[in-house]
Amino acid sequence: MAMGSTMCQQDVGCELRKRAYGVSLLSFIEGLVAMGSMISQLDAAYVLRGLALPLAASWVVILAAGGAAALYCARLLAGLAVGGISAVAPVYIAEIAHSSVRGTLGSFFQLMITIGVLYTYCVGAAAPYHALAGACLAPVVVFCVAFFFMPETPSHLLTKGRRRDAVRALLRLRGAQYDYRDEIALLQAEVDESSRRKASVRDVLRSPAARRGLLLSLGLMAIQQLSGINAVVFYTSTIFKEAGSSLSPSAAAIVVGVVMAAATLASSLLMDRLGRRALLLLSTAVMAVALAVLGLHIHLALQGVGWLPLVCVCVYIVVFSLGMGPVPWLMMGELFNPEAKSIASAASVFTNYLLVFVITKTFEPMSSALGTAVVYWIYAGLCAAGAVFVFFLVPETKGKTMQQIQEMLATGKTS
């Protein structure tokens, strides 16, 4: 799901947010290319601290003013911040994490998204509109304060020739007793090699490793959204209602949020044990089956099995949260060498949010024209195609150094 997928429980607020969604999308379409250039010049921690300010400002605008115009302005600010954070945070995590735990830490990005969504669902179910805005502002303030104490990444410090500072940052991240010499030597070698290959974007993308990394990242982001996750989650309350569930829309949303957060937490624990490919293959294959069965139930209007749609939706959300939810964000931070990272990450995030907009806006027209069952079958087919994409093209990056990953990409190997 997109980071900005928070929900207002009031009908008027929800409608305004739907109208503002396109405006919000435009903000990070315009801002991500600039963000891609910024990250190549600035440290990711510095950029993240700066992006927290427009995010906080968006909630202040909502608290201070009312009406559609204020909401449009707030969503523009939030869209810029969310788009930038989505491009920078996975890169920052990948650069500070040791290869042995990079999968677990990288999956925390999606975990925090699901926890944030669940937090918003719970507060929104019990609080009025402005109280919800205030509750959403509080975590942003905590982030602003906490991130001032986060170190710059050792890789970035080495690119600036600040080796002593890079060693200090590494010791802060690994512990004062850590023997940093081998890791700092490896990072220095990667930085030196990157500086020798310094070139234009066009030259960078002539590299087989960079081209394949970009293809894989864009493909995973496309599969994540073309699986229909936002359409399924957005219409979960309708599915529950048609299945005969007595849950209110807010209660259904909370149930979905709990399931997504719990499954994403499980994914973070499994990421460095099972590997990325296994979770992606499990996720796409089971999602395809769940959506196909859900479409069949709707098409045949089956009686006496009202529980079946609920099971399909829950299974779909669980396996999405295990694989297709966190892994594309994690691998976006793993696949690119330093000179390709800025533009490639920006392109990946742009693709993701563009498809969020497309899927959300086309679900109802497609359902009206083709029938809801057919739409779910289309999503099922896209999930199956995603499983094929993963099986033949996506490499296993578990436990690999950045240099080893680049060598795999250059040679086309998947393991």
Side-chain angles (χ1 to χ4, degrees):
M1 286 184 67
M3 182 174 282
S5 299
T6 55
M7 180 179 289
C8 171
Q9 299 299 324
Q10 282 78 3
D11 293 340
V12 174
C14 287
E15 183 60 29
L16 286 172
R17 294 186 71 157
K18 290 180 192 176
R19 294 176 184 176
Y21 192 23
V23 180
S24 178
L25 179 74
L26 288 175
S27 67
F28 40 75
I29 289 176
E30 295 293 331
L32 280 177
V33 174
M35 185 56 58
S37 300
M38 285 175 62
I39 192 175
S40 64
Q41 303 298 323
L42 301 174
D43 180 73
Y46 180 86
V47 176
L48 288 169
R49 287 194 289 267
L51 287 170
L53 297 178
L55 190 58
S58 70
W59 291 112
V60 171
V61 170
I62 292 174
L63 283 168
L71 188 58
Y72 291 156
C73 177
R75 296 305 291 160
L76 275 168
L77 290 169
L80 174 62
V82 167
I85 290 170
S86 298
V88 179
V91 174
Y92 179 78
I93 295 169
E95 289 192 358
I96 66 171
H98 192 275
S99 58
S100 62
V101 294
R102 195 173 59 239
T104 298
L105 294 182
S107 63
F108 280 9
F109 178 74
Q110 178 71 13
L111 176 62
M112 293 301 103
I113 293 174
T114 58
I115 290 175
V117 171
L118 175 59
Y119 171 77
T120 309
Y121 287 164
C122 293
V123 175
Y129 178 74
H130 283 83
L132 173 59
C136 291
L137 175 61
V140 181
V141 174
V142 172
F143 173 83
C144 287
V145 174
F147 226 82
F148 273 99
F149 300 97
M150 294 298 293
E152 297 179 350
T153 70
S155 295
H156 175 78
L157 292 169
L158 289 173
T159 63
K160 301 299 182 183
R162 298 164 59 186
R163 185 181 177 89
R164 288 186 179 179
D165 290 336
V167 170
R168 292 192 190 99
L170 200 57
L171 290 175
R172 279 193 63 191
L173 293 166
R174 306 285 187 264
Q177 304 304 315
Y178 179 68
D179 186 354
Y180 64 85
R181 289 170 293 185
D182 288 344
E183 186 171 358
I184 204 74
L186 179 60
L187 290 174
Q188 185 68 65
E190 293 175 355
V191 167
D192 292 343
E193 179 64 21
S194 174
S195 64
R196 284 194 293 270
R197 294 196 303 260
K198 209 73 174 179
S200 67
V201 171
R202 180 179 298 179
D203 293 333
V204 165
L205 295 181
R206 287 176 182 168
S207 161
R211 285 201 306 271
R212 188 174 179 222
L214 183 59
L215 169 67
L216 292 172
S217 185
L218 293 178
L220 289 174
M221 290 299 185
I223 296 165
Q224 184 192 72
Q225 295 306 325
L226 293 175
S227 68
I229 180 63
N230 280 284
V232 172
V233 171
F234 190 81
Y235 292 99
T236 295
S237 60
T238 301
I239 296 172
F240 277 36
K241 184 177 180 180
E242 291 177 352
S245 172
S246 59
L247 289 175
S248 66
S250 59
I254 292 172
V255 169
V256 169
V258 170
V259 170
M260 291 188 71
T264 307
L265 176 60
S267 174
S268 69
L269 301 176
L270 296 172
M271 195 70 68
D272 286 313
R273 297 185 180 185
L274 298 182
R276 286 61 154 162
R277 275 172 55 86
L279 291 175
L280 285 172
L281 287 169
L282 170 69
S283 181
T284 49
V286 176
M287 286 164 65
V289 173
L291 288 173
V293 173
L294 179 60
L296 184 64
H297 180 276
I298 295 172
H299 179 69
L300 298 178
L302 298 176
Q303 301 295 323
V305 285
W307 51 267
L308 186 58
L310 304 182
V311 171
C312 289
V313 170
C314 288
V315 168
Y316 171 90
I317 290 173
V318 166
V319 294
F320 173 87
S321 301
L322 282 174
M324 278 313 305
V327 175
W329 295 110
L330 164 64
M331 294 194 73
M332 186 185 79
E334 292 182 322
L335 290 173
F336 306 120
N337 54 33
E339 68 268 24
K341 191 169 290 185
S342 57
I343 188 65
S345 298
S348 299
V349 176
F350 169 75
T351 299
N352 187 286
Y353 283 107
L354 178 62
L355 290 174
V356 169
F357 177 78
V358 170
I359 293 298
T360 305
K361 291 297 185 181
T362 59
F363 181 78
E364 285 193 31
M366 288 176 62
S367 297
S368 299
L370 303 174
T372 304
V374 174
V375 175
Y376 286 137
W377 287 337
I378 291 172
Y379 293 154
L382 291 170
C383 288
V388 174
F389 176 88
V390 171
F391 184 82
F392 287 104
L393 295 178
V394 176
E396 180 54 73
T397 57
K398 180 186 73 169
K400 302 290 193 302
T401 66
M402 293 297 181
Q403 184 61 36
Q404 290 171 328
I405 293 171
Q406 291 304 304
E407 291 172 358
M408 292 173 63
L409 293 174
T411 58
K413 294 180 180 179
T414 57
S415 64

PDB file of all heavy atoms in Angstrom, residues 379-399:
ATOM      1  N   TYR A 379      -6.713  -9.211 -11.933  1.00  0.00           N
ATOM      2  CA  TYR A 379      -5.692  -9.059 -10.907  1.00  0.00           C
ATOM      3  C   TYR A 379      -5.013 -10.406 -10.625  1.00  0.00           C
ATOM      4  O   TYR A 379      -3.785 -10.465 -10.411  1.00  0.00           O
ATOM      5  CB  TYR A 379      -6.287  -8.511  -9.613  1.00  0.00           C
ATOM      6  CG  TYR A 379      -6.797  -7.087  -9.696  1.00  0.00           C
ATOM      7  CD1 TYR A 379      -7.806  -6.643  -8.839  1.00  0.00           C
ATOM      8  CD2 TYR A 379      -6.286  -6.189 -10.613  1.00  0.00           C
ATOM      9  CE1 TYR A 379      -8.267  -5.337  -8.887  1.00  0.00           C
ATOM     10  CE2 TYR A 379      -6.745  -4.886 -10.677  1.00  0.00           C
ATOM     11  CZ  TYR A 379      -7.748  -4.462  -9.821  1.00  0.00           C
ATOM     12  OH  TYR A 379      -8.209  -3.173  -9.880  1.00  0.00           O
ATOM     13  N   ALA A 380      -5.805 -11.491 -10.609  1.00  0.00           N
ATOM     14  CA  ALA A 380      -5.229 -12.822 -10.377  1.00  0.00           C
ATOM     15  C   ALA A 380      -4.238 -13.184 -11.475  1.00  0.00           C
ATOM     16  O   ALA A 380      -3.152 -13.724 -11.204  1.00  0.00           O
ATOM     17  CB  ALA A 380      -6.347 -13.866 -10.310  1.00  0.00           C
ATOM     18  N   GLY A 381      -4.599 -12.872 -12.725  1.00  0.00           N
ATOM     19  CA  GLY A 381      -3.688 -13.140 -13.835  1.00  0.00           C
ATOM     20  C   GLY A 381      -2.398 -12.335 -13.730  1.00  0.00           C
ATOM     21  O   GLY A 381      -1.305 -12.846 -14.025  1.00  0.00           O
ATOM     22  N   LEU A 382      -2.520 -11.096 -13.280  1.00  0.00           N
ATOM     23  CA  LEU A 382      -1.333 -10.255 -13.111  1.00  0.00           C
ATOM     24  C   LEU A 382      -0.449 -10.784 -11.978  1.00  0.00           C
ATOM     25  O   LEU A 382       0.780 -10.729 -12.070  1.00  0.00           O
ATOM     26  CB  LEU A 382      -1.751  -8.811 -12.837  1.00  0.00           C
ATOM     27  CG  LEU A 382      -2.404  -8.089 -14.028  1.00  0.00           C
ATOM     28  CD1 LEU A 382      -3.004  -6.762 -13.584  1.00  0.00           C
ATOM     29  CD2 LEU A 382      -1.385  -7.856 -15.140  1.00  0.00           C
ATOM     30  N   CYS A 383      -1.070 -11.314 -10.918  1.00  0.00           N
ATOM     31  CA  CYS A 383      -0.283 -11.927  -9.843  1.00  0.00           C
ATOM     32  C   CYS A 383       0.461 -13.161 -10.357  1.00  0.00           C
ATOM     33  O   CYS A 383       1.629 -13.381 -10.013  1.00  0.00           O
ATOM     34  CB  CYS A 383      -1.194 -12.320  -8.681  1.00  0.00           C
ATOM     35  SG  CYS A 383      -1.830 -10.931  -7.728  1.00  0.00           S
ATOM     36  N   ALA A 384      -0.231 -13.968 -11.168  1.00  0.00           N
ATOM     37  CA  ALA A 384       0.418 -15.151 -11.741  1.00  0.00           C
ATOM     38  C   ALA A 384       1.585 -14.747 -12.643  1.00  0.00           C
ATOM     39  O   ALA A 384       2.661 -15.367 -12.615  1.00  0.00           O
ATOM     40  CB  ALA A 384      -0.601 -15.976 -12.517  1.00  0.00           C
ATOM     41  N   ALA A 385       1.373 -13.692 -13.439  1.00  0.00           N
ATOM     42  CA  ALA A 385       2.465 -13.180 -14.277  1.00  0.00           C
ATOM     43  C   ALA A 385       3.614 -12.688 -13.404  1.00  0.00           C
ATOM     44  O   ALA A 385       4.796 -12.851 -13.753  1.00  0.00           O
ATOM     45  CB  ALA A 385       1.954 -12.057 -15.178  1.00  0.00           C
ATOM     46  N   GLY A 386       3.280 -12.102 -12.269  1.00  0.00           N
ATOM     47  CA  GLY A 386       4.307 -11.654 -11.335  1.00  0.00           C
ATOM     48  C   GLY A 386       5.127 -12.816 -10.798  1.00  0.00           C
ATOM     49  O   GLY A 386       6.346 -12.697 -10.625  1.00  0.00           O
ATOM     50  N   ALA A 387       4.474 -13.951 -10.523  1.00  0.00           N
ATOM     51  CA  ALA A 387       5.206 -15.128 -10.045  1.00  0.00           C
ATOM     52  C   ALA A 387       6.211 -15.610 -11.096  1.00  0.00           C
ATOM     53  O   ALA A 387       7.341 -15.997 -10.768  1.00  0.00           O
ATOM     54  CB  ALA A 387       4.224 -16.249  -9.701  1.00  0.00           C
ATOM     55  N   VAL A 388       5.813 -15.569 -12.367  1.00  0.00           N
ATOM     56  CA  VAL A 388       6.713 -15.954 -13.456  1.00  0.00           C
ATOM     57  C   VAL A 388       7.896 -14.983 -13.524  1.00  0.00           C
ATOM     58  O   VAL A 388       9.058 -15.390 -13.687  1.00  0.00           O
ATOM     59  CB  VAL A 388       5.958 -15.986 -14.797  1.00  0.00           C
ATOM     60  CG1 VAL A 388       6.919 -16.244 -15.958  1.00  0.00           C
ATOM     61  CG2 VAL A 388       4.867 -17.051 -14.769  1.00  0.00           C
ATOM     62  N   PHE A 389       7.604 -13.695 -13.407  1.00  0.00           N
ATOM     63  CA  PHE A 389       8.649 -12.666 -13.420  1.00  0.00           C
ATOM     64  C   PHE A 389       9.663 -12.920 -12.312  1.00  0.00           C
ATOM     65  O   PHE A 389      10.886 -12.876 -12.530  1.00  0.00           O
ATOM     66  CB  PHE A 389       7.989 -11.292 -13.252  1.00  0.00           C
ATOM     67  CG  PHE A 389       8.947 -10.138 -13.161  1.00  0.00           C
ATOM     68  CD1 PHE A 389       9.395  -9.494 -14.303  1.00  0.00           C
ATOM     69  CD2 PHE A 389       9.392  -9.671 -11.927  1.00  0.00           C
ATOM     70  CE1 PHE A 389      10.276  -8.428 -14.230  1.00  0.00           C
ATOM     71  CE2 PHE A 389      10.264  -8.594 -11.837  1.00  0.00           C
ATOM     72  CZ  PHE A 389      10.707  -7.978 -13.003  1.00  0.00           C
ATOM     73  N   VAL A 390       9.175 -13.199 -11.112  1.00  0.00           N
ATOM     74  CA  VAL A 390      10.064 -13.439  -9.974  1.00  0.00           C
ATOM     75  C   VAL A 390      10.895 -14.693 -10.193  1.00  0.00           C
ATOM     76  O   VAL A 390      12.112 -14.707  -9.961  1.00  0.00           O
ATOM     77  CB  VAL A 390       9.243 -13.562  -8.667  1.00  0.00           C
ATOM     78  CG1 VAL A 390      10.125 -14.032  -7.514  1.00  0.00           C
ATOM     79  CG2 VAL A 390       8.605 -12.224  -8.318  1.00  0.00           C
ATOM     80  N   PHE A 391      10.258 -15.764 -10.664  1.00  0.00           N
ATOM     81  CA  PHE A 391      10.954 -17.045 -10.808  1.00  0.00           C
ATOM     82  C   PHE A 391      12.123 -16.958 -11.791  1.00  0.00           C
ATOM     83  O   PHE A 391      13.198 -17.498 -11.536  1.00  0.00           O
ATOM     84  CB  PHE A 391       9.964 -18.121 -11.277  1.00  0.00           C
ATOM     85  CG  PHE A 391      10.574 -19.492 -11.365  1.00  0.00           C
ATOM     86  CD1 PHE A 391      10.707 -20.276 -10.234  1.00  0.00           C
ATOM     87  CD2 PHE A 391      11.022 -19.992 -12.579  1.00  0.00           C
ATOM     88  CE1 PHE A 391      11.286 -21.538 -10.309  1.00  0.00           C
ATOM     89  CE2 PHE A 391      11.602 -21.252 -12.664  1.00  0.00           C
ATOM     90  CZ  PHE A 391      11.730 -22.031 -11.522  1.00  0.00           C
ATOM     91  N   PHE A 392      11.924 -16.274 -12.897  1.00  0.00           N
ATOM     92  CA  PHE A 392      12.940 -16.260 -13.936  1.00  0.00           C
ATOM     93  C   PHE A 392      13.930 -15.096 -13.832  1.00  0.00           C
ATOM     94  O   PHE A 392      15.040 -15.199 -14.355  1.00  0.00           O
ATOM     95  CB  PHE A 392      12.290 -16.234 -15.327  1.00  0.00           C
ATOM     96  CG  PHE A 392      11.677 -17.544 -15.724  1.00  0.00           C
ATOM     97  CD1 PHE A 392      10.297 -17.719 -15.688  1.00  0.00           C
ATOM     98  CD2 PHE A 392      12.476 -18.608 -16.112  1.00  0.00           C
ATOM     99  CE1 PHE A 392       9.726 -18.938 -16.052  1.00  0.00           C
ATOM    100  CE2 PHE A 392      11.917 -19.826 -16.475  1.00  0.00           C
ATOM    101  CZ  PHE A 392      10.534 -19.994 -16.442  1.00  0.00           C
ATOM    102  N   LEU A 393      13.548 -14.010 -13.170  1.00  0.00           N
ATOM    103  CA  LEU A 393      14.377 -12.813 -13.249  1.00  0.00           C
ATOM    104  C   LEU A 393      14.913 -12.287 -11.924  1.00  0.00           C
ATOM    105  O   LEU A 393      15.988 -11.685 -11.889  1.00  0.00           O
ATOM    106  CB  LEU A 393      13.588 -11.683 -13.935  1.00  0.00           C
ATOM    107  CG  LEU A 393      13.219 -11.905 -15.400  1.00  0.00           C
ATOM    108  CD1 LEU A 393      12.392 -10.726 -15.914  1.00  0.00           C
ATOM    109  CD2 LEU A 393      14.460 -12.091 -16.258  1.00  0.00           C
ATOM    110  N   VAL A 394      14.177 -12.469 -10.835  1.00  0.00           N
ATOM    111  CA  VAL A 394      14.558 -11.803  -9.582  1.00  0.00           C
ATOM    112  C   VAL A 394      15.642 -12.606  -8.862  1.00  0.00           C
ATOM    113  O   VAL A 394      15.448 -13.793  -8.573  1.00  0.00           O
ATOM    114  CB  VAL A 394      13.343 -11.612  -8.663  1.00  0.00           C
ATOM    115  CG1 VAL A 394      13.768 -11.016  -7.318  1.00  0.00           C
ATOM    116  CG2 VAL A 394      12.320 -10.702  -9.335  1.00  0.00           C
ATOM    117  N   PRO A 395      16.794 -11.996  -8.551  1.00  0.00           N
ATOM    118  CA  PRO A 395      17.863 -12.712  -7.854  1.00  0.00           C
ATOM    119  C   PRO A 395      17.620 -12.764  -6.349  1.00  0.00           C
ATOM    120  O   PRO A 395      16.872 -11.951  -5.801  1.00  0.00           O
ATOM    121  CB  PRO A 395      19.097 -11.859  -8.168  1.00  0.00           C
ATOM    122  CG  PRO A 395      18.549 -10.473  -8.295  1.00  0.00           C
ATOM    123  CD  PRO A 395      17.180 -10.619  -8.905  1.00  0.00           C
ATOM    124  N   GLU A 396      18.255 -13.728  -5.700  1.00  0.00           N
ATOM    125  CA  GLU A 396      18.203 -13.808  -4.247  1.00  0.00           C
ATOM    126  C   GLU A 396      19.320 -12.945  -3.669  1.00  0.00           C
ATOM    127  O   GLU A 396      20.503 -13.212  -3.907  1.00  0.00           O
ATOM    128  CB  GLU A 396      18.363 -15.255  -3.775  1.00  0.00           C
ATOM    129  CG  GLU A 396      18.325 -15.416  -2.268  1.00  0.00           C
ATOM    130  CD  GLU A 396      17.071 -14.782  -1.682  1.00  0.00           C
ATOM    131  OE1 GLU A 396      15.982 -15.359  -1.861  1.00  0.00           O
ATOM    132  OE2 GLU A 396      17.193 -13.701  -1.055  1.00  0.00           O
ATOM    133  N   THR A 397      18.946 -11.911  -2.922  1.00  0.00           N
ATOM    134  CA  THR A 397      19.936 -10.980  -2.376  1.00  0.00           C
ATOM    135  C   THR A 397      20.201 -11.211  -0.892  1.00  0.00           C
ATOM    136  O   THR A 397      20.984 -10.476  -0.294  1.00  0.00           O
ATOM    137  CB  THR A 397      19.458  -9.526  -2.581  1.00  0.00           C
ATOM    138  OG1 THR A 397      18.178  -9.356  -1.960  1.00  0.00           O
ATOM    139  CG2 THR A 397      19.340  -9.208  -4.061  1.00  0.00           C
ATOM    140  N   LYS A 398      19.576 -12.225  -0.315  1.00  0.00           N
ATOM    141  CA  LYS A 398      19.755 -12.493   1.114  1.00  0.00           C
ATOM    142  C   LYS A 398      21.219 -12.741   1.445  1.00  0.00           C
ATOM    143  O   LYS A 398      21.878 -13.590   0.837  1.00  0.00           O
ATOM    144  CB  LYS A 398      18.929 -13.722   1.516  1.00  0.00           C
ATOM    145  CG  LYS A 398      19.035 -14.086   2.990  1.00  0.00           C
ATOM    146  CD  LYS A 398      18.327 -15.387   3.288  1.00  0.00           C
ATOM    147  CE  LYS A 398      19.117 -16.568   2.747  1.00  0.00           C
ATOM    148  NZ  LYS A 398      18.588 -17.868   3.241  1.00  0.00           N
ATOM    149  N   GLY A 399      21.744 -11.989   2.433  1.00  0.00           N
ATOM    150  CA  GLY A 399      23.094 -12.210   2.909  1.00  0.00           C
ATOM    151  C   GLY A 399      24.200 -11.771   1.969  1.00  0.00           C
ATOM    152  O   GLY A 399      25.376 -11.986   2.250  1.00  0.00           O
TER     153      GLY A 399
END
